[in-house]
């Protein structure tokens, strides 16, 4: 093409469009949509179960969903699996075993891959957890949220503090890697109550902690009937307490809400944040897949019954969304993920994962650097301490 400029790391495609030279790492996300009870703060695709779970129907649909997706990811190595929900630990041990057998049969699963399953206290049984581990689950993420019984009632959880502690001990006996999900800035919570929750969580010495600020998400019960939550100053004091205590205890805050001991980063989530690929199967699951000349986002039907009915037809009707990401969107999408990581990502990965040169976002980078929000590091794309604290302000620079 006449007068075409070849920028480092960018291969010109048809009509000047850059194309991807290599495929990013690929993960698998599996959605299990059922819960015992829908929590009032939850905006995930979860549905209260009535009666026995339709395990046979679900597994048949999951296999059909995966089979139809195989041409999109054929022979690509899968570096991690995350079974989320909902409450996957509602599934029987035999269902998880069949699920893992399915993945090994169809996918090029890298030996030693991280395989995480979410579980909630109140659905935990020691024998079943051992069986999960025997099927290949090597990491369990427990939705503890709090050890305070009053806070758990306010959050609509089905477990109490004692069950939470028992669940942690059962998980630690079953697998070597355990994550605890803890929330703070809860209804009526004080800084002292937040510290008690944090100290209790840290006392189990798990390799990973996910510490989330409660947010009142749209289309939830809490959004319609908002509880009295701590003010901004109290929430900020809680965050400062969490940062200082976890650092002193040996956990590194490597992502906005993630804290890990050395070698205990969540590989699956890091792949998201580094703008890797992920295939999402199951009702409501989302995915991002890269091809030589485009990046595609998919979403499955949210309703479990509709997804199960349509997936087995094998005609693609179980897919609710299948769209190509516009090139003008890629800069923001990349930075939205990458800047969540404390140490950021190599600058070179922007071109590797988007097919674009950094020139595409150079004006936004310059503005963010001038505002003190983006580090001027010539090697890494990363937020400054100020930018990480006000991440939304930093990201807004890349919306243009």
């Amino acid at each position: 093409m006449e007068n075409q400029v070849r920028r480092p790391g960018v291969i010109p495609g048809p009509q000047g469009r850059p194309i991807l030279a290599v495929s990013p790492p690929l993960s698998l996300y599996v959605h299990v949509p059922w819960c015992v009870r829908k929590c009032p703060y939850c905006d995930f695709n979860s549905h209260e179960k009535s009666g026995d779970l339709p395990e046979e129907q679900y597994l048949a649909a999951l296999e059909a969903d995966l089979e139809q997706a195989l041409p999109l990811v054929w022979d690509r190595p899968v570096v991690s699996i995350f079974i989320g929900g909902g409450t996957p630990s509602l599934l029987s041990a035999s269902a998880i075993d069949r699920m893992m057998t399915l993945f090994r049969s169809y996918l090029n699963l890298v030996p030693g891959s991280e395989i995480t399953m979410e579980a909630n206290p109140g659905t935990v049984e020691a024998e079943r957890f051992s069986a999960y581990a025997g099927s290949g689950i090597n990491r369990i993420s427990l939705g503890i949220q709090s050890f305070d019984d009053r806070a758990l009632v306010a959050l609509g959880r089905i477990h109490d503090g004692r069950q939470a502690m028992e669940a942690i001990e059962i998980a630690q006996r079953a697998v070597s890697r355990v994550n605890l999900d803890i929330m703070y800035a809860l209804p009526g919570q004080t800084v002292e109550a937040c510290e008690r929750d944090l100290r209790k969580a840290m006392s189990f010495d798990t390799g990973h902690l996910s510490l989330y600020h409660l947010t009142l998400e749209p289309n939830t019960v809490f959004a319609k009937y908002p509880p009295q939550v701590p003010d901004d100053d109290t929430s900020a004091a809680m965050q400062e307490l969490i940062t200082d205590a976890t650092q002193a205890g040996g956990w590194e805050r490597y992502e906005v809400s993630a804290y890990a001991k050395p070698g205990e980063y969540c590989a699956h989530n890091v792949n998201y944040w580094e703008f890797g690929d992920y295939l999402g199967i199951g009702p409501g699951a989302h995915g991002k897949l890269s091809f030589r000349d485009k990046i595609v986002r998919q979403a499955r039907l949210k309703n479990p019954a509709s997804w199960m009915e349509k997936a087995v037809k094998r005609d693609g009707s179980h897919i609710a969304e299948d769209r190509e990401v516009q090139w003008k969107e890629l800069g923001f999408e990349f930075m939205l993920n990458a800047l969540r990581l404390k140490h950021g990502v190599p600058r070179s990965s922007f071109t590797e994962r988007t097919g674009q040169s950094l020139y595409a976002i150079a004006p936004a980078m310059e503005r963010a650097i001038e505002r003190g929000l983006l580090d001027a590091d010539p090697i890494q794309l990363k937020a400054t301490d100020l930018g990480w604290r006000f991440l939304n302000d930093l990201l807004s620079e890349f919306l243009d």
Side-chain angles (χ1 to χ4, degrees):
M1 186 179 295
E2 186 177 0
N3 296 327
Q4 187 172 45
V5 178
R6 289 182 178 269
R7 292 176 176 139
V10 179
I11 303 173
Q15 300 169 344
R17 283 177 57 179
I19 60 179
L20 301 180
V22 295
S23 297
L26 174 67
S27 296
L28 174 69
Y29 175 76
V30 185
H31 194 73
V32 181
W34 296 285
C35 284
V36 175
R37 185 169 65 201
K38 181 83 170 180
C39 296
Y41 59 84
C42 179
D43 68 336
F44 295 133
N45 184 39
S46 59
H47 303 259
E48 291 188 11
K49 74 180 187 73
S50 56
D52 295 334
L53 294 185
E55 287 190 346
E56 291 295 331
Q57 189 180 1
Y58 172 78
L59 290 170
L62 199 69
E63 182 171 11
D65 194 346
L66 181 57
E67 283 181 350
Q68 293 168 85
L70 283 180
L72 303 176
V73 298
W74 188 252
D75 207 34
R76 286 181 62 180
V78 174
V79 299
S80 67
I81 296 176
F82 195 102
I83 305 170
T87 307
S89 53
L90 289 174
L91 292 176
S92 67
S94 62
I96 294 294
D97 189 61
R98 289 169 58 187
M99 187 187 294
M100 291 303 303
T101 299
L102 173 69
F103 300 153
R104 292 192 189 93
S105 299
Y106 283 108
L107 299 171
N108 181 15
L109 189 58
V110 174
S113 298
E114 174 189 278
I115 304 174
T116 301
M117 186 178 79
E118 290 185 330
N120 284 334
T123 66
V124 171
E125 298 174 9
E127 184 177 338
R128 196 167 6 147
F129 265 44
S130 297
Y132 291 157
S135 298
I137 303 298
N138 54 32
R139 185 175 182 271
I140 290 175
S141 181
L142 284 170
I144 302 298
Q145 313 314 354
S146 178
F147 296 94
D148 186 303
D149 288 347
R150 285 181 296 180
L152 290 169
V153 170
L155 291 172
R157 304 296 286 173
I158 65 169
H159 67 275
D160 58 26
R162 177 186 57 81
Q163 289 172 313
M165 291 183 282
E166 289 175 350
I168 297 170
E169 292 171 352
I170 292 171
Q172 288 182 310
R173 289 195 295 269
V175 297
S176 60
R177 300 184 63 198
V178 175
N179 169 63
L180 305 182
D181 276 359
I182 304 292
M183 299 176 77
Y184 67 96
L186 307 179
Q189 189 178 45
T190 63
V191 174
E192 292 75 22
C194 172
E195 182 172 14
R196 285 194 297 271
D197 264 352
L198 177 62
R199 297 294 180 188
K200 177 60 70 174
M202 292 170 57
S203 71
F204 289 94
D205 202 33
T206 60
H208 198 282
L209 297 170
S210 297
L211 303 169
Y212 299 104
H213 188 295
L214 172 65
T215 54
L216 308 185
E217 300 289 354
N219 303 315
T220 63
V221 173
F222 272 4
K224 188 174 183 179
Y225 305 104
Q228 188 68 41
V229 295
D231 60 27
D232 290 345
D233 288 343
T234 304
S235 297
M238 292 177 181
Q239 177 63 76
E240 185 176 357
L241 164 71
I242 288 168
T243 301
D244 292 344
T246 50
Q247 182 177 3
W251 286 268
E252 175 194 1
R253 187 185 182 195
Y254 70 98
E255 189 269 342
V256 172
S257 302
Y259 303 72
K261 293 287 184 71
E264 294 281 354
Y265 285 14
C266 176
H268 186 87
N269 286 346
V270 168
N271 192 38
Y272 287 163
W273 298 320
E274 292 181 343
F275 213 53
D277 278 359
Y278 50 101
L279 172 65
I281 59 174
H286 287 251
K288 167 192 168 281
L289 298 173
S290 300
F291 301 91
R292 191 167 183 267
D293 61 344
K294 62 184 177 181
I295 294 175
V296 171
R297 288 201 177 274
Q298 289 187 332
R300 271 48 177 171
L301 292 172
K302 286 186 173 183
N303 182 273
S306 298
W307 169 79
M308 289 188 292
E309 176 190 349
K310 294 183 181 297
V312 295
K313 292 182 178 180
R314 289 176 164 79
D315 60 2
S317 59
H318 65 297
I319 297 178
E321 179 185 12
D322 188 359
R323 71 175 183 89
E324 181 177 344
V325 181
Q326 298 299 305
W327 289 100
K328 64 181 180 180
E329 300 175 293
L330 283 173
F332 173 72
E333 288 211 8
F334 179 91
M335 299 301 273
L336 177 67
N337 289 276
L339 294 180
R340 290 184 65 91
L341 290 167
K342 178 65 174 175
H343 301 297
V345 297
R347 286 191 172 214
S348 60
S349 67
F350 180 82
T351 295
E352 292 170 0
R353 301 293 164 87
T354 68
Q356 298 181 351
S357 166
L358 272 174
Y359 288 112
I361 58 170
M365 290 174 59
E366 290 172 4
R367 291 194 301 269
I369 290 171
E370 288 175 0
R371 294 179 62 190
L373 301 176
L374 187 70
D375 200 300
D377 189 316
I379 305 299
Q380 290 286 108
L381 284 171
K382 63 179 181 179
T384 61
D385 289 342
L386 180 66
W388 218 42
R389 183 180 176 188
F390 298 101
L391 190 55
N392 287 340
D393 287 345
L394 170 55
L395 292 173
S396 67
E397 293 289 356
F398 298 91
L399 272 173
D400 186 3

